[in-house]
Amino acid sequence: MIEIRRYTPADKELWDAFVEASKNGTFLLKRDYMEYHADRFPDHSYIFVDDKETVCALLPATLAGDTLSSHAGLTYGGLVLGDRTSAVAPLEMFDKLRGALKEEGIKKLIYKAIPHIYHRQGAEEDLYALFRNGARLSIRNLSTAIDLRNPVPSSRLGKRAEKRQRKGAICVSETASADSFWDIVVEDRRIRHNTRPVHTASELDYLKSRFPENIRFFTASDPVGEILGGAVIYLDRKVLHLQYAACTQRGKDLYATDVIYHELIFNIFPGNNYFDFGISNEDAGRYLNEGMVHHKEEFGGRSFVYDIYEMDV
């Protein structure tokens, strides 16, 4: 038998320990990351326990009106599952969840599935349970990642990047604060997309202070120390996720981001499974920026999806 209850602050240590040991959770689903913007996304998470009162799953979630989202402030969420989760267990979890939501007057669930590249083991029991509960796919975002275990040959990521690094005498180094290159990221977003980054430099610095091994900042500079570009990397479950990357115009002329990618993959963080460039969509996945996808594919990246489902309670 599985029971469900709401998360409370007293559960923080228990929650984080389960995420760490889970087969599909990442540091984004730990409490310090989820709660840094709790003022904008009020927490409404759930814990599932078995008949021995042992935690068997978590559901990171936020509530807005009569809609529960897992999790509105994150790229993905969904059920965080343990190694021993059977195929049947999420069916019971969804039964318990629907009952709890009905009691609270919640009418809709928005479910952001954890992409499979972050799974340590097979962890798609939740997708089957969604199907059984009549959930419908509402958003499918296309992301591009290099499979570093079996990479597609790419001259742009290999010898060409090394040649450009030598030619421009570009140095890639880690930096303690995003502030050192954040103006470059902000300006790049303004020019290319007429948007602003989701995070501020101070928010990223705070998150790095909480997750110093998972969030890393890097700059590319010339021999006199001029910063040509920078990147924010999220690292977990053997996945390097490119959260932000941008260059000045001179940096673009010197292909500084190519050099950053090469250094990260081959020299700074060798031995990982994927390098994820992130999604290339707008309009809830209905518009694909083909130029952006092509650029990522030039490095040997290939496609996988970030899916979001809706379910009527």
Side-chain angles (χ1 to χ4, degrees), residues 68-132:
L68 187 81
S69 177
S70 71
H71 173 296
L74 300 175
T75 307
Y76 53 80
L79 286 174
V80 182
L81 302 171
D83 288 346
R84 296 180 180 273
T85 304
S86 70
V88 175
L91 294 172
E92 186 175 357
M93 291 174 192
F94 269 85
D95 286 344
K96 298 294 184 180
L97 178 63
R98 294 187 85 143
L101 297 184
K102 286 178 181 178
E103 287 184 6
E104 297 182 54
I106 298 170
K107 297 180 179 179
K108 180 185 289 186
L109 170 67
I110 296 175
Y111 188 96
K112 299 180 178 181
I114 301 171
H116 76 267
I117 64 172
Y118 293 102
H119 298 178
R120 286 195 298 110
Q121 298 176 2
E124 295 185 345
E125 302 94 333
D126 59 335
L127 301 186
Y128 178 69
L130 286 166
F131 164 73
R132 285 279 297 270

Side-chain angles (χ1 to χ4, degrees), residues 13-276:
E13 185 175 341
L14 177 149
W15 179 286
D16 287 348
F18 188 87
V19 171
E20 185 66 28
S22 70
K23 65 178 181 177
N24 63 340
T26 71
F27 78 95
L28 272 69
L29 305 178
K30 290 185 176 180
R31 300 310 307 189
D32 283 341
Y33 195 98
M34 290 171 56
E35 293 172 2
Y36 85 92
H37 50 14
D39 56 325
R40 286 177 280 165
F41 301 101
D43 188 79
H44 205 89
S45 298
Y46 292 91
I47 295 176
F48 296 86
V49 297
D50 61 20
D51 53 5
K52 297 180 181 178
E53 290 296 312
T54 301
V55 177
C56 54
L58 308 172
L59 183 68
T62 55
L63 184 65
D66 61 1
T67 300
L68 187 81
S69 177
S70 71
H71 173 296
L74 300 175
T75 307
Y76 53 80
L79 286 174
V80 182
L81 302 171
D83 288 346
R84 296 180 180 273
T85 304
S86 70
V88 175
L91 294 172
E92 186 175 357
M93 291 174 192
F94 269 85
D95 286 344
K96 298 294 184 180
L97 178 63
R98 294 187 85 143
L101 297 184
K102 286 178 181 178
E103 287 184 6
E104 297 182 54
I106 298 170
K107 297 180 179 179
K108 180 185 289 186
L109 170 67
I110 296 175
Y111 188 96
K112 299 180 178 181
I114 301 171
H116 76 267
I117 64 172
Y118 293 102
H119 298 178
R120 286 195 298 110
Q121 298 176 2
E124 295 185 345
E125 302 94 333
D126 59 335
L127 301 186
Y128 178 69
L130 286 166
F131 164 73
R132 285 279 297 270
N133 280 270
R136 56 194 177 275
L137 180 66
S138 59
I139 296 174
R140 169 162 281 175
N141 284 313
L142 192 72
S143 191
T144 308
I146 304 169
D147 185 342
L148 300 174
R149 301 163 301 179
N150 185 29
V152 175
S154 166
S155 60
R156 184 161 185 175
L157 189 62
K159 293 181 179 180
R160 194 183 303 179
E162 292 177 334
K163 182 178 179 181
R164 285 165 173 166
Q165 184 173 17
R166 289 194 300 269
K167 182 178 180 180
I170 298 171
C171 175
V172 177
S173 57
E174 190 163 10
T175 182
S177 172
D179 198 53
S180 61
F181 61 89
W182 200 245
D183 286 347
I184 297 173
V185 175
V186 172
E187 182 65 6
D188 180 74
R189 287 294 178 94
R190 184 189 69 81
I191 292 173
R192 290 200 299 152
H193 305 295
N194 195 30
T195 61
R196 292 187 63 83
V198 173
H199 300 89
T200 65
S202 60
E203 285 176 332
L204 286 169
D205 284 351
Y206 167 75
L207 290 169
K208 178 176 172 58
S209 73
R210 307 306 299 173
F211 301 97
E213 297 302 314
N214 302 107
I215 300 177
R216 313 286 283 271
F217 307 143
F218 294 89
T219 59
S221 56
D222 69 7
V224 298
E226 177 187 341
I227 293 179
L228 304 170
V232 177
I233 292 293
Y234 280 15
L235 173 61
D236 202 6
R237 304 286 173 143
K238 288 190 170 292
V239 179
L240 290 168
H241 174 75
L242 187 66
Q243 187 74 6
Y244 296 101
C247 283
T248 63
Q249 185 56 55
R250 182 163 177 255
K252 292 174 183 176
D253 294 340
L254 294 172
Y255 294 90
T257 51
D258 292 31
V259 175
I260 291 174
Y261 304 156
H262 180 273
E263 283 295 294
L264 290 172
I265 291 170
F266 295 108
N267 297 323
I268 300 173
F269 298 117
N272 286 289
N273 293 341
Y274 292 97
F275 186 89
D276 179 15

